[in-house]
Amino acid sequence: MTHHQHRRRARIAFSDSAAKQLENLTSEAEIHALDRALVVVSVNPDVGEPIPGSAAGPQLREYADEVEHVRLLYWVSALGTVVVVAFIEV
């Protein structure tokens, strides 16, 4: 019998600018698409591609879902428990 460890989902937090972008979403389809992308990132924060930049500060990552037409820029906390979304494009 195989023992599987279940990794807890990371908590999602929004930067101030991402929170304002979130407030501007009006359609159910946009909200549903964003929800799906946020679940993917919360389950596997390493799913996005690293964005080249300086070593100072958190490593920005980009997750793009071509089916749902959603793009997220985010970084992951040092312990991997919080994903901070910096930019939302739906």
Side-chain angles (χ1 to χ4, degrees):
M1 188 165 159
T2 305
H3 176 70
H4 294 281
Q5 284 188 329
H6 294 287
R7 184 175 176 187
R8 291 182 54 186
R9 282 186 182 182
R11 193 172 55 113
I12 299 290
F14 297 97
S15 68
D16 290 342
S17 61
K20 287 182 184 186
Q21 291 171 310
L22 188 61
E23 290 173 4
N24 292 328
L25 294 181
T26 56
S27 81
E28 291 285 329
E30 288 177 328
I31 293 168
H32 178 72
L34 177 61
D35 282 346
R36 289 175 51 98
L38 292 172
V39 167
V40 169
V41 171
S42 73
V43 170
N44 182 7
D46 296 326
V47 71
E49 295 294 321
I51 296 174
S54 70
Q59 171 68 59
L60 280 176
R61 302 183 74 81
E62 176 182 16
Y63 172 71
D65 183 325
E66 300 300 326
V67 174
E68 295 287 349
H69 305 290
V70 175
R71 186 170 77 125
L72 302 174
L73 298 183
Y74 66 96
W75 69 87
V76 181
S77 70
L79 297 176
T81 57
V82 177
V83 173
V84 180
V85 176
F87 174 79
I88 300 168
E89 183 177 83
V90 180

